[in-house]
Amino acid sequence: MLASRLYSPTLREIPADAVVVSHQYMLKAGMMRKISNGLYAFLPLAWRSIRKIEDIIREEMAKIGCQEIMMPIVQPAELWQETGRWAVFGPEMFKLKDRHDHEYCLGPTHEELITALTRMDTSSYKQLPVSLFQIQNKYRDEKRPRFGLMRSREFIMKDAYTFDADEEGLDKQYKLMYDAYTRIFTRCGLHFRPVIADTGAIGGSGSHEFEVIADAGEADIVYCTSCDFAANVEAVQPKAVSQHIHNDKEKELVSTPGQHTIEMVCEYLHAPVSQSIKAVVYKLDDKVVLAMVRGDHEVNEVRLQNIYHAVNVGMASDEDLKACGLIAGYISPIGLKTSDKFDIVVDASVMEMEDACCGGNQKDMHYIHVNPKRDFPNVRVDTIRLIDTHDVCPVCGGHIEMKKGIEVGQVFKLGTKYSEALGCNFLDQNGKSHPMVMGCYGIGVTRTVAASIEQNHDEDGIIWPINIAPYEAVIVPFNTKDEEVMKAAKELYEALNTSRDEIVLDDRKGRAGPKFKDADLIGYPVRVTIGKKLKENGTVEIKIRRTGEVIEVPFAEAAEKVNSVLNNLRAENL
Amino acid sequence: MLASRLYSPTLREIPADAVVVSHQYMLKAGMMRKISNGLYAFLPLAWRSIRKIEDIIREEMAKIGCQEIMMPIVQPAELWQETGRWAVFGPEMFKLKDRHDHEYCLGPTHEELITALTRMDTSSYKQLPVSLFQIQNKYRDEKRPRFGLMRSREFIMKDAYTFDADEEGLDKQYKLMYDAYTRIFTRCGLHFRPVIADTGAIGGSGSHEFEVIADAGEADIVYCTSCDFAANVEAVQPKAVSQHIHNDKEKELVSTPGQHTIEMVCEYLHAPVSQSIKAVVYKLDDKVVLAMVRGDHEVNEVRLQNIYHAVNVGMASDEDLKACGLIAGYISPIGLKTSDKFDIVVDASVMEMEDACCGGNQKDMHYIHVNPKRDFPNVRVDTIRLIDTHDVCPVCGGHIEMKKGIEVGQVFKLGTKYSEALGCNFLDQNGKSHPMVMGCYGIGVTRTVAASIEQNHDEDGIIWPINIAPYEAVIVPFNTKDEEVMKAAKELYEALNTSRDEIVLDDRKGRAGPKFKDADLIGYPVRVTIGKKLKENGTVEIKIRRTGEVIEVPFAEAAEKVNSVLNNLRAENL
């Protein structure tokens, strides 16, 4: 490809609404453009990367016998009503009507459709397992689309679904997919971790997320440095911690005028935060739930959602507090009565505390010398806090660390939730009918592009892993007016660009400086500069974007050397 | 691929709602399933064909320097309002609102979006031409989705757009695309014709449709057997025909009780139909238009639409007739007055008639001895009839023939309609601003699959052209229980399936009969049968689906022979 023809309009300025690196660089490098909020057009460079990821996915799916299909994006409401998710999805689902007033949605996912499709033609154990996937646009009407491809409203996903006769079959498919996903993200050149994921909201028996490690990630992941435990913090139920404090004193109500945050109260009472009990009030669907955790702990909202089988989770409003007789800043379970509309759940670690302080349920008043086991009678106790770095590995007790991750894939044992709802059954050897046991497996294709950039960049631009780079190398002639230089550049271009269209020749007029800047910004894994040295000593310069390493080679050996550098990068998925 | 694992559930019965062959066979062969009206899921076989067509398109686009991008399917209303097409598209456009009540549509086409995209980054003549394409789902909310993929509501299109500085540049791009389309459909193994297409509705200076010749086609195409003239009949203005009849009598009103069709009137009056004048009343947007053509001619509604620059074309209602004082069955221009809301247009051939009969504008009355030149004063005269087989070639006067065609592609010189509406301008060498000159170029990818089947099938099933066949060959072991046969079948499968996954081994249990039926139905270009003859004389049978030719070869030479047969088919795009 000649750079003079390549449609990759680079920008000098970073657009104001782009706050994460991948968004900034994709706009700057002319890889994509915003069409509307959360809706992007992909220009040739981005599209080449996306298609390379898709092809890696296709190859790995073929290896495990998962066949490619294509389902409609526009899905009839009836199927979603059959599973009850038409109501559940809420405003995140794009809905529309056709000219005959029939209702449809733009598929945010395809469990309903694939299950309806499979039940049409699959009815015997002999036909199982079924393993199908598609790569397609998905739609979520995000409240605040942001971070470019990290959270857009239209995005490309690969979604696969398996149907088996039993859990054992599902386990096999799950393992195949897990291993395929590991190969896919490895080939994409990403530093990632499969982590245990929460299964509560959709309902299922096991799940892993594939998280690309990057500071811009929205997921908190925890892993053990001793064993192979790794999980999304949402999916972990940390052990209750004991503080070995003993208190015989009765609880006592004390005045804490104006001290309405945990920090204020603890300072005022000269108590460590870890000896305080924090109240957080949620609205879970129609129920107000008072969650109590230790002052230095955080509530695991996903866990809370699972405990209460809630669809919607939010903070309680001032009206909610009032209706339940709660006084913000001074809340504790002491003296409160639960009801259909109001519940209290106390974290297990709180129940290990003695001599704690907590709200007095009166303005400007707190209790001290509180022993929850004694003073919080009739409350629900569960593990509702998030694990943190003070905890140990819940598997081996070893040291844990935490990182930010970008979720690029998820494998999920769905079980029979959808096959039961939609009557996707099979007859076993004895002619008995059972619902098929399903698994679903997603990869965010466009998000993988963004995650790759979040993880692989420097202040000059993108650093593409070779296998998903839009082009593998760029040739920059230092001076396009110099005939000898241009002749050499074209010769090298012809030599390298034989079988595969993977090389860019920067034949644009103008100085070399902006071309080097563009080359770094676009992130070609390899840059070949043909300049003064060609005349001085007949050499050209090969620069590896990732390491900055510069190799000088005689022009006659340049093509061979570039190919060997590219082969080395490919061999290491770098 | 092993047939036992291939997800291609064949049906024994043809579903009732499938009336055209492509729809029937695609359902029967397990290639697709209906999800909702006009919405289909593509199963692995269909998807492989579709992807092969896409890859042919990609290769040919790369050859002419057209780069692949991907635009959103969900498009903001604002852009369509800027060009005025938000209102024009009417109920065929799927519209939706997001959670913030902003309006969007599902793209039926992408002129608005590509123009908005190009204006973002292209501003100088130096950047032109720009040539971009995408392959993507498009949406039309058809009133009556029908004929499977021929007229579905969600379909895959390749759409390309070019931007040039002037008409000369556009002409070059158009020629490149025209030639690329010719190569694409040739490689797809289709018998097709590029024909002159109407340009009126969208507004442009030239267009060709690529029509696959097939009886199931909805387009009427006319071509000359002497010169290379070929056109959609809608785009042709046939010469006026003279009848060489002379009439001196004055027109006379005669009673024709109950004779309200042309045929009845002509029989009653003992006049040939070609001496009668037919009235057809249209509603063109808000205007009622009385169109007069010779009794044996048909009105070209597209031409009528162009003459009146109408967006919507339909038949006038009973109320419309009444409002204009028209009496159905007895209408002619004689004595009628036109207005803002009512116009009369008479076909040029009518004006050549003398001694004709036409409506009397009174119930049960007709005029005879009518000379339109004398008796139809103050009417608009234009060529509004369709060409028919009685006509001669409008270019060379030679013999013409007519066929049915399925439109699978169109190339279109758009000009500056969209660039002007959306301000997509460039500065020329002198710093002067001009709107870019655009072309657009579409291929119906899924419709090409259907067209291929409409053109290539027999009573047993599909006959795939090799380059778009889901798989190139199937190996059918006559008896799967016979170890020697199965060993040979597997050996041949391994030998043929080395580098490319293009061979199916029908390893399913059961008799060979249904497998032969499936092989014919699915339409593998080549079938290899390994059966009794292997034991008798060591040979296997290679059958070519298209010709029925059977070749017996010794097993040892089978792989080589199959490959040479496949190579021959590929060489001829058969």
Side-chain angles (χ1 to χ4, degrees):
Chain A
M1 173 59 71
L2 299 176
S4 60
R5 295 266 46 92
L6 178 64
Y7 197 78
S8 62
T10 52
L11 304 175
R12 292 293 148 224
E13 299 296 321
I14 294 172
D17 63 341
V19 294
V20 297
V21 170
S22 59
H23 193 188
Q24 293 173 340
Y25 281 158
M26 288 190 79
L27 292 173
K28 239 188 132 181
M31 297 186 70
M32 69 181 197
R33 288 292 178 261
K34 179 179 166 180
I35 298 300
S36 183
N37 216 5
L39 300 172
Y40 295 94
F42 299 112
L43 302 187
L45 290 177
W47 191 242
R48 286 178 65 96
S49 281
I50 289 168
R51 286 190 34 85
K52 286 186 180 185
I53 295 170
E54 291 181 356
D55 283 345
I56 290 171
I57 290 172
R58 287 195 172 98
E59 286 175 27
E60 296 299 337
M61 288 299 105
K63 281 185 200 160
I64 61 168
C66 186
Q67 294 171 60
E68 187 168 0
I69 62 169
M70 185 56 74
M71 291 180 275
I73 287 173
V74 174
Q75 305 188 11
E78 289 78 8
L79 290 176
W80 290 79
Q81 283 153 354
E82 279 191 67
T83 62
R85 289 211 292 180
W86 185 254
V88 168
F89 244 90
E92 269 207 4
M93 192 187 245
F94 277 108
K95 292 177 178 173
L96 69 159
K97 286 182 180 175
D98 73 3
R99 64 198 295 158
H100 305 297
D101 246 15
H102 293 142
E103 282 191 299
Y104 296 85
C105 69
L106 301 186
T109 175
H110 275 69
E111 282 83 14
E112 277 77 2
L113 243 171
I114 190 80
T115 310
L117 185 66
T118 304
R119 75 179 170 190
M120 287 184 196
D121 295 297
T122 312
S123 54
S124 160
Y125 72 96
K126 289 180 198 160
Q127 296 168 281
L128 301 179
V130 167
S131 180
L132 302 169
F133 81 101
Q134 62 173 0
I135 300 176
Q136 191 194 52
N137 278 10
K138 304 280 178 207
Y139 293 84
R140 305 245 168 138
D141 194 0
E142 296 278 351
K143 196 166 187 181
R144 289 199 308 122
R146 59 195 184 279
F147 307 149
L149 299 190
M150 302 267 274
R151 201 160 282 277
S152 54
R153 299 201 289 174
E154 180 178 71
F155 51 96
I156 301 174
M157 267 196 75
K158 168 263 178 183
D159 46 329
Y161 305 91
T162 59
F163 296 81
D164 275 272
D166 50 33
E167 287 286 338
E168 198 186 327
L170 170 60
D171 288 348
K172 267 186 213 159
Q173 300 287 344
Y174 188 87
K175 177 76 165 62
L176 285 173
M177 284 287 177
Y178 183 100
D179 291 345
Y181 275 37
T182 301
R183 291 193 298 273
I184 288 165
F185 294 119
T186 301
R187 289 178 62 184
C188 287
L190 296 171
H191 174 45
F192 68 96
R193 272 201 98 126
V195 304
I196 296 163
D198 175 61
T199 58
I202 319 185
S205 56
S207 177
H208 285 85
E209 288 161 2
F210 287 74
E211 299 275 355
V212 167
I213 310 303
D215 294 337
E218 295 189 286
D220 288 298
I221 65 174
V222 55
Y223 57 94
C224 176
T225 55
S226 308
C227 75
D228 62 3
F229 169 77
N232 187 313
V233 294
E234 295 170 346
V236 184
Q237 291 182 47
K239 287 188 181 141
V241 280
S242 170
Q243 289 173 298
H244 310 293
I245 289 172
H246 185 67
N247 166 49
D248 286 330
K249 296 182 194 153
E250 283 303 308
K251 72 173 188 289
E252 181 187 341
L253 201 58
V254 296
S255 169
T256 50
Q259 314 300 319
H260 57 85
T261 71
I262 279 290
E263 291 69 26
M264 288 165 125
V265 172
C266 290
E267 204 182 318
Y268 188 83
L269 296 174
H270 305 291
V273 173
S274 62
Q275 279 298 106
S276 68
I277 308 173
K278 182 163 64 179
V280 194
V281 191
Y282 290 92
K283 186 76 174 274
L284 301 172
D285 295 339
D286 288 340
K287 187 172 264 185
V288 175
V289 173
L290 168 58
M292 302 298 301
V293 292
R294 224 170 71 176
D296 56 340
H297 286 162
E298 297 299 331
V299 176
N300 182 346
E301 297 179 359
V302 169
R303 174 74 188 143
L304 213 57
Q305 184 176 22
N306 292 343
I307 291 173
Y308 286 93
H309 305 288
V311 172
N312 298 304
V313 178
M315 302 310 292
S317 66
D318 289 347
E319 289 76 47
D320 293 328
L321 295 188
K322 209 180 251 177
C324 300
L326 304 176
I327 297 151
Y330 305 93
I331 304 169
S332 80
I334 298 171
L336 295 182
K337 278 189 76 174
T338 60
S339 71
D340 277 4
K341 298 279 177 199
F342 175 59
D343 201 24
I344 302 171
V345 56
V346 179
D347 181 56
S349 292
V350 168
M351 299 311 274
E352 299 289 318
M353 297 169 82
E354 296 200 6
D355 200 17
C357 62
C358 67
N361 285 326
Q362 299 175 42
K363 187 151 174 56
D364 295 337
M365 300 296 277
H366 277 84
Y367 283 108
I368 57 173
H369 307 316
V370 171
N371 289 3
K373 267 191 188 136
R374 176 190 68 196
D375 300 324
F376 293 0
N378 303 324
V379 292
R380 182 171 192 160
V381 177
D382 210 324
T383 304
I384 60 164
R385 73 175 176 98
L386 286 170
I387 193 168
D388 66 31
T389 46
H390 300 293
D391 284 298
V392 294
C393 172
V395 174
C396 76
H399 176 69
I400 58 167
E401 292 192 354
M402 297 182 74
K403 295 251 165 146
K404 288 283 182 184
I406 302 169
E407 186 196 331
V408 289
Q410 183 164 21
V411 290
F412 202 113
K413 296 183 186 178
L414 282 176
T416 57
K417 178 180 160 120
Y418 295 98
S419 49
E420 277 179 34
L422 290 157
C424 184
N425 303 316
F426 71 98
L427 298 177
D428 67 15
Q429 283 95 324
N430 306 315
K432 217 184 137 201
S433 180
H434 308 271
M436 296 182 206
V437 183
M438 291 173 58
C440 72
Y441 318 88
I443 291 178
V445 176
T446 39
R447 191 187 273 186
T448 298
V449 173
S452 166
I453 296 172
E454 291 296 337
Q455 191 178 71
N456 298 276
H457 68 268
D458 61 17
E459 71 264 25
D460 296 321
I462 301 166
I463 302 172
W464 287 108
I466 186 92
N467 289 332
I468 63 173
Y471 287 93
E472 295 182 351
V474 62
I475 300 167
V476 182
F478 198 83
N479 182 350
T480 49
K481 285 183 193 153
D482 186 320
E483 277 181 30
E484 189 186 342
V485 163
M486 276 310 285
K487 186 170 161 283
K490 280 179 190 164
E491 202 179 310
L492 181 61
Y493 176 65
E494 300 289 335
L496 289 173
N497 219 22
T498 46
S499 62
R500 307 179 315 133
D501 171 33
E502 283 295 346
I503 312 293
V504 170
L505 169 62
D506 199 339
D507 62 335
R508 295 175 297 172
K509 287 176 192 160
R511 291 174 304 120
K515 295 185 188 179
F516 290 152
K517 270 201 153 51
D518 279 356
D520 283 348
L521 174 61
I522 290 170
Y524 302 99
V526 169
R527 186 184 89 198
V528 186
T529 310
I530 303 183
K532 282 177 229 159
K533 289 208 174 135
L534 182 70
K535 306 193 171 204
E536 289 169 19
N537 60 11
T539 65
V540 301
E541 192 186 284
I542 300 169
K543 188 174 177 187
I544 300 172
R545 175 75 177 92
R546 185 174 294 273
T547 60
E549 188 190 351
V550 174
I551 307 161
E552 280 186 24
V553 286
F555 176 71
E557 297 164 24
E560 197 185 331
K561 186 64 189 173
V562 169
N563 278 329
S564 96
V565 167
L566 292 174
N567 283 337
N568 287 344
L569 290 172
R570 271 195 289 270
E572 300 186 41
N573 295 311
L574 277 175
Chain B
M1 173 59 71
L2 300 175
S4 60
R5 294 264 49 90
L6 178 64
Y7 197 78
S8 63
T10 52
L11 304 175
R12 293 292 148 224
E13 299 296 321
I14 294 172
D17 64 340
V19 293
V20 296
V21 169
S22 59
H23 192 189
Q24 293 172 341
Y25 281 158
M26 289 190 78
L27 292 172
K28 237 188 132 180
M31 297 187 70
M32 69 180 199
R33 289 292 177 260
K34 179 178 165 179
I35 298 301
S36 183
N37 216 4
L39 299 173
Y40 296 93
F42 299 112
L43 302 187
L45 289 177
W47 191 241
R48 285 177 67 96
S49 280
I50 290 168
R51 286 189 35 84
K52 285 185 180 186
I53 295 170
E54 291 181 355
D55 283 344
I56 290 171
I57 292 172
R58 287 196 172 99
E59 286 175 26
E60 296 299 338
M61 287 300 105
K63 280 184 200 160
I64 61 167
C66 186
Q67 295 171 60
E68 188 169 358
I69 61 168
M70 184 56 75
M71 290 181 275
I73 287 174
V74 174
Q75 305 187 11
E78 289 79 9
L79 291 176
W80 290 79
Q81 284 153 352
E82 278 190 67
T83 62
R85 288 212 292 181
W86 185 254
V88 168
F89 245 89
E92 269 207 4
M93 192 188 247
F94 278 108
K95 292 176 179 174
L96 69 158
K97 286 183 180 175
D98 72 3
R99 65 197 296 159
H100 305 298
D101 246 14
H102 293 141
E103 283 192 298
Y104 296 86
C105 70
L106 301 187
T109 175
H110 275 69
E111 282 82 14
E112 277 77 1
L113 243 171
I114 190 79
T115 310
L117 185 65
T118 305
R119 76 179 170 189
M120 286 183 197
D121 295 296
T122 312
S123 55
S124 160
Y125 71 95
K126 290 180 198 160
Q127 296 168 282
L128 300 179
V130 167
S131 180
L132 301 169
F133 81 101
Q134 60 173 0
I135 300 176
Q136 190 194 51
N137 279 10
K138 303 279 179 211
Y139 294 84
R140 303 246 170 140
D141 194 0
E142 296 278 352
K143 197 166 185 180
R144 289 199 309 122
R146 59 196 184 280
F147 307 149
L149 299 190
M150 303 265 275
R151 201 161 281 279
S152 54
R153 299 201 290 174
E154 181 178 69
F155 51 97
I156 301 173
M157 267 195 75
K158 168 263 179 184
D159 46 330
Y161 306 90
T162 59
F163 296 81
D164 276 271
D166 50 33
E167 287 286 339
E168 199 187 325
L170 169 59
D171 289 348
K172 267 187 214 157
Q173 300 287 344
Y174 188 87
K175 177 76 167 58
L176 284 173
M177 284 286 176
Y178 182 101
D179 292 345
Y181 276 37
T182 301
R183 290 193 300 272
I184 288 165
F185 294 119
T186 302
R187 288 179 62 184
C188 287
L190 297 170
H191 173 45
F192 68 95
R193 271 200 99 124
V195 304
I196 296 165
D198 175 63
T199 56
I202 319 185
S205 56
S207 176
H208 285 85
E209 289 162 0
F210 287 75
E211 299 276 355
V212 168
I213 310 303
D215 294 338
E218 295 187 287
D220 289 298
I221 64 174
V222 55
Y223 59 94
C224 178
T225 55
S226 308
C227 75
D228 61 1
F229 169 77
N232 188 313
V233 294
E234 295 170 347
V236 183
Q237 293 181 47
K239 286 186 182 143
V241 279
S242 171
Q243 289 174 297
H244 311 291
I245 289 173
H246 185 68
N247 165 50
D248 287 328
K249 296 183 197 153
E250 283 304 307
K251 70 174 189 288
E252 182 187 341
L253 202 57
V254 297
S255 170
T256 50
Q259 314 300 316
H260 57 84
T261 71
I262 280 289
E263 290 70 27
M264 291 164 123
V265 171
C266 290
E267 206 182 317
Y268 188 84
L269 298 173
H270 305 292
V273 173
S274 61
Q275 278 298 106
S276 68
I277 307 173
K278 182 162 65 180
V280 194
V281 191
Y282 290 91
K283 185 76 172 274
L284 301 171
D285 295 338
D286 288 340
K287 187 172 265 185
V288 175
V289 173
L290 168 58
M292 302 298 301
V293 292
R294 225 172 68 177
D296 57 340
H297 286 163
E298 298 299 331
V299 177
N300 183 346
E301 297 180 358
V302 169
R303 174 74 186 141
L304 214 56
Q305 183 176 22
N306 293 342
I307 291 173
Y308 286 93
H309 305 288
V311 172
N312 296 304
V313 178
M315 302 311 291
S317 66
D318 290 347
E319 289 76 46
D320 293 328
L321 295 188
K322 209 181 253 178
C324 300
L326 304 175
I327 297 151
Y330 306 93
I331 303 170
S332 80
I334 298 172
L336 295 181
K337 277 189 76 174
T338 59
S339 70
D340 276 6
K341 298 280 174 200
F342 174 60
D343 201 22
I344 302 171
V345 59
V346 180
D347 182 57
S349 292
V350 169
M351 300 309 275
E352 301 288 319
M353 299 169 81
E354 296 199 7
D355 200 18
C357 63
C358 66
N361 285 326
Q362 299 174 41
K363 185 146 175 62
D364 295 337
M365 300 297 277
H366 276 83
Y367 283 108
I368 57 173
H369 308 317
V370 172
N371 288 5
K373 267 193 188 134
R374 178 190 66 197
D375 300 323
F376 294 179
N378 303 323
V379 293
R380 183 173 192 159
V381 177
D382 210 322
T383 303
I384 61 163
R385 74 174 176 99
L386 286 170
I387 193 168
D388 66 31
T389 46
H390 301 293
D391 284 297
V392 294
C393 171
V395 174
C396 76
H399 176 70
I400 58 166
E401 291 191 356
M402 296 181 76
K403 295 250 163 144
K404 289 282 182 185
I406 301 169
E407 186 196 331
V408 290
Q410 183 165 21
V411 290
F412 203 112
K413 294 182 187 179
L414 282 177
T416 56
K417 178 181 159 119
Y418 296 98
S419 49
E420 277 180 33
L422 291 157
C424 183
N425 303 315
F426 71 98
L427 297 178
D428 67 14
Q429 284 94 325
N430 306 314
K432 219 185 135 200
S433 180
H434 309 271
M436 296 182 207
V437 183
M438 291 174 58
C440 72
Y441 318 88
I443 290 179
V445 176
T446 39
R447 191 187 273 184
T448 298
V449 173
S452 167
I453 296 173
E454 292 297 337
Q455 191 178 70
N456 299 276
H457 67 269
D458 60 18
E459 71 264 24
D460 296 320
I462 302 166
I463 301 172
W464 286 109
I466 184 95
N467 289 331
I468 64 172
Y471 287 92
E472 294 182 354
V474 63
I475 301 167
V476 182
F478 199 84
N479 182 349
T480 50
K481 286 184 193 151
D482 185 320
E483 276 180 30
E484 191 186 341
V485 163
M486 275 312 284
K487 186 169 162 286
K490 280 180 188 162
E491 201 178 311
L492 182 60
Y493 176 65
E494 299 289 334
L496 289 172
N497 219 21
T498 45
S499 61
R500 304 178 317 131
D501 170 33
E502 283 295 345
I503 312 292
V504 170
L505 170 60
D506 199 340
D507 62 335
R508 293 175 298 170
K509 287 176 193 162
R511 291 173 306 118
K515 294 185 189 180
F516 290 151
K517 271 203 153 49
D518 278 357
D520 282 348
L521 174 61
I522 290 170
Y524 301 98
V526 169
R527 186 185 88 197
V528 186
T529 310
I530 302 183
K532 284 177 227 158
K533 290 211 173 130
L534 182 69
K535 306 193 171 205
E536 288 168 20
N537 60 10
T539 64
V540 300
E541 192 186 283
I542 301 169
K543 187 172 178 188
I544 300 172
R545 175 76 177 92
R546 185 174 294 273
T547 60
E549 186 190 353
V550 173
I551 307 161
E552 280 186 23
V553 286
F555 177 72
E557 297 164 23
E560 199 184 330
K561 186 65 188 170
V562 170
N563 278 329
S564 97
V565 167
L566 292 174
N567 282 337
N568 287 343
L569 291 173
R570 270 194 289 270
E572 300 186 44
N573 295 311
L574 279 175

